[in-house]
Amino acid sequence: MEQIPLPSPIHYELLLQMLERQTMSAVSQNPALRQQVNQLIITLRKAAVQQKHLEQACQFSAIEIDHRWSLNHHIGKVATPE
């Protein structure tokens, strides 16, 4: 089986840091928005944990994971001049 493409875990961490440090302070005076941001943080944490479970299942099944940094991942080798 080919490698399973998954987002790099750093993507979750960057989003969580932005939401917790910047977005949350920007909405601190609005309880309704603060609650929505808090729910978004919870959802992202759950997604990160779910991905970790998937990675563990892949490891158990000897399936390799390809952590991707972007959608612009090119399959195959780059041609090199001879």
Side-chain angles (χ1 to χ4, degrees):
M1 178 178 261
E2 66 183 65
Q3 292 181 334
I4 305 287
L6 289 173
S8 176
I10 193 71
H11 292 304
Y12 294 106
E13 189 58 38
L14 288 172
L15 290 170
L16 286 166
Q17 285 183 25
M18 180 187 301
L19 289 168
E20 291 169 342
R21 295 178 186 177
Q22 297 175 354
T23 308
M24 193 59 90
S25 67
V27 298
S28 63
Q29 300 301 316
N30 187 322
L33 289 178
R34 194 171 60 237
Q35 178 62 23
Q36 286 187 15
V37 172
N38 192 50
Q39 288 301 312
L40 182 56
I41 290 169
I42 291 168
T43 300
L44 280 170
R45 288 191 186 282
K46 287 179 181 179
V49 169
Q50 185 62 41
Q51 178 169 322
K52 194 58 135 170
H53 290 309
L54 176 59
E55 290 173 1
Q56 290 169 347
C58 288
Q59 183 179 14
F60 180 77
S61 299
I63 298 171
E64 291 188 43
I65 295 170
D66 179 17
H67 285 117
R68 302 270 175 100
W69 289 82
S70 75
L71 293 173
N72 300 324
H73 181 79
H74 298 289
I75 298 174
K77 296 185 178 188
V78 176
T80 55
E82 293 186 24

